[in-house]
Amino acid sequence: MGRTMTVQGGRSLYGTVEVPAAKNSVLPLLAASLLCGGPVRLEQVPRLSDVEDCLGILRAVGCGAAWEGEDVVVGGPPSCCRMPLAETARMRASVLFAAPLLARLGRVETALPGGCRIGARPVDWHLAALEQMGAQITQAGDRLVLTAPWGLRGTEICLPGPSVGATETVLLAGCTARGETILHGAAREPEICDLAQFLNRCGGKVQGAGTDEIHIQGVGALHGATYRPMPDRICASTLACAVAAARGWITIAGCSPSLYGPVLDVLEQAGCTVSRTAGSATVGRMGSLQGAGRLVTGGYPALATDAAPLVAAALLFGEGTTVLEDRVFEARFGCAEGFAAMGAQVKVEGRTLRIRGGRPLRGAAVTACDLRGGAALVVAALGAQGKTRIAGCEYIARGYASLGEMLTGLGARIE
Ligand code: EPZ
């Protein structure tokens, strides 16, 4: 805890950088490995604190979970239904372990999950879906006990909103439930397709992932598999925004530009040069940037909420106005305080961040208060003059294994 990063701004970025595997894919895949009868090998997993917490949960419930070089190997059936409180409380994704444990053991004792401070993040839709599938749930304070003594059963579920996590919970619960589960109103994020592909690779029968209606035919059991998780589109977005802020010319390799198309489109409209191949994007900024007018986030394929603070950081350097509304979370722009400390003209009104961009920024002492907001402070600091000291970088370590090293490799000066 208490990690800091010092960024010497004003240096342009040049070179090629490889995008690592997506945190938001790896975490559900680790939860899914609980369903598998044989060992699961996830290839080239980034060493994130959220990944370490997931491995902690897997070990606490009796599975083997270990690094083998850059891969993670999970094996052995779970034997304990009690999830460890520390890891569970630290991370939102801990809620994803409930459904597979329930499916395997018929009972799970857990707690309400923690996670980034970006507004209220209830888990009521996860719990309601599991109840519909036959789980009985008791809650005392932040403690939860879920039981399904007769197993889970497939049914028709309609999500009140396109929640990524609740969609994943239904996938995880439905795979080995009795009969068919039909999910209406599913989220369509690519990480959900990655989870469905993994489950199918393990013998599951999931159809329709990537659309708002998913059909899951329950199967008796899943087997193990070796799987390479998809690339991190938010990390790719971070790098694209970094070069927009710092100036320079970089190639972001190993991630299809279509996965973060809206971010590249905004940067292009703001004045960056963007060229795309099937598996990479080259983003350059030589001249001035313009504000982007009005932008709104939403579920995939719209501009991702996770990218909103990053895009905002880049557009601090755009002449004119940007108004960025986050429709997914209540408090996405905690980073605005840090932007202001660097001299930016920004104002948060409810879910909206207003930027009057183009003023030169100067280094300052700032504090990360969530993962993407923390990364956004790094992006802003790259384009500011002088040194920025960013406290609270443990948030950044949740989702970026080596942001400092990646940017240093492109010519940034970061300690
Ligand atoms: C996932 O969170 C991601 N996390 C988040 O990544 C991402 O911001 C978010 O999806 C949206 O894309 C992981 O994949 C581990 P949601 P999740 O359920 O699943 C409401 C990052 O920086 N809701 O789609 O928790 C909720 O409050 C992050 O990597 C309920 O009301 O997000 C929110 O307003 C942080 N009840 C909206 O739905 C529920 O039971 C969308 O949340 C569930 C959700």
Side-chain angles (χ1 to χ4, degrees):
M1 293 302 265
R3 293 201 217 175
T4 63
M5 201 187 250
T6 304
V7 180
Q8 176 70 53
R11 291 170 63 92
S12 304
L13 305 180
Y14 293 97
T16 297
V17 58
E18 194 73 27
V19 175
K23 166 184 83 84
N24 288 346
S25 191
V26 169
L27 307 186
L29 293 177
L30 288 171
S33 67
L34 282 169
L35 292 168
C36 298
V40 168
R41 175 181 290 269
L42 299 182
E43 294 179 324
Q44 299 196 17
V45 172
R47 286 189 183 252
L48 308 169
S49 59
D50 274 9
V51 170
E52 296 293 356
D53 278 341
C54 286
L55 300 186
I57 293 175
L58 289 168
R59 289 184 198 118
V61 299
C63 296
W67 290 96
E68 283 187 10
E70 292 185 9
D71 300 352
V72 166
V73 179
V74 182
S79 53
C80 167
C81 65
R82 219 166 299 129
M83 285 180 50
L85 288 180
E87 287 88 344
T88 300
R90 261 200 300 270
M91 177 182 58
R92 169 81 179 176
S94 59
V95 69
L96 301 176
F97 289 72
L101 279 174
L102 198 55
R104 285 304 287 269
L105 301 175
R107 178 181 177 91
V108 55
E109 295 173 24
T110 185
L112 290 175
C116 276
R117 290 178 283 161
I118 52 180
R121 297 180 77 184
V123 293
D124 51 337
W125 302 346
H126 297 247
L127 300 182
L130 291 173
E131 266 178 336
Q132 269 188 271
M133 297 178 76
Q136 287 163 12
I137 302 176
T138 51
Q139 183 171 355
D142 68 345
R143 303 294 167 88
L144 290 169
V145 178
L146 290 77
T147 54
W150 298 283
L152 294 170
R153 56 168 191 273
T155 184
E156 203 151 336
I157 294 169
C158 201
L159 283 183
S163 157
V164 176
T167 301
E168 290 165 346
T169 282
V170 174
L171 252 61
L172 293 166
C175 253
T176 56
R178 285 189 309 280
E180 190 181 23
T181 303
I182 301 173
L183 177 62
H184 301 279
R188 295 180 292 164
E189 268 62 7
E191 291 75 13
I192 290 165
C193 301
D194 212 33
L195 174 61
Q197 194 171 312
F198 170 79
L199 290 167
N200 288 344
R201 187 80 64 81
C202 297
K205 288 190 176 161
V206 181
Q207 280 184 331
T211 75
D212 61 5
E213 186 176 310
I214 301 180
H215 291 239
I216 310 150
Q217 194 66 51
V219 296
L222 297 185
H223 51 75
T226 294
Y227 193 76
R228 173 122 184 228
M230 64 173 284
D232 194 326
R233 62 197 170 99
I234 308 301
C235 182
S237 305
T238 307
L239 294 162
C241 292
V243 72
R247 298 171 183 268
W249 200 271
I250 67 167
T251 295
I252 302 161
C255 182
S256 165
S258 63
L259 288 172
Y260 59 116
V263 172
L264 293 173
D265 292 347
V266 169
L267 297 179
E268 199 168 24
Q269 278 155 26
C272 291
T273 307
V274 180
S275 61
R276 301 160 175 84
T277 70
S280 72
T282 299
V283 184
R285 178 194 161 202
M286 293 301 171
S288 60
L289 281 187
Q290 305 302 314
R294 189 172 173 77
L295 300 172
V296 178
T297 68
Y300 193 82
L303 178 64
T305 169
D306 291 344
L310 304 159
V311 166
L315 293 172
L316 298 175
F317 302 94
E319 312 266 342
T321 306
T322 300
V323 178
L324 187 43
E325 184 191 348
D326 189 76
R327 296 220 171 135
V328 182
F329 292 109
E330 292 166 338
R332 253 300 173 190
F333 299 112
C335 52
E337 206 174 302
F339 293 164
M342 289 185 224
Q345 277 196 309
V346 288
K347 194 169 177 203
V348 179
E349 287 167 358
R351 291 168 178 253
T352 299
L353 176 70
R354 288 176 187 280
I355 303 170
R356 280 185 59 199
R359 284 163 60 107
L361 302 194
R362 51 172 196 278
V366 298
T367 303
C369 50
D370 65 87
L371 161 58
R372 304 302 170 189
L377 294 176
V378 176
V379 169
L382 291 169
Q385 292 303 319
K387 260 187 195 171
T388 298
R389 191 164 180 276
I390 304 166
C393 290
E394 57 277 6
Y395 280 111
I396 300 177
R398 300 180 68 143
Y400 299 86
S402 52
L403 185 59
E405 286 87 334
M406 271 194 286
L407 293 168
T408 306
L410 296 170
R413 198 171 285 165
I414 297 180
E415 287 161 25

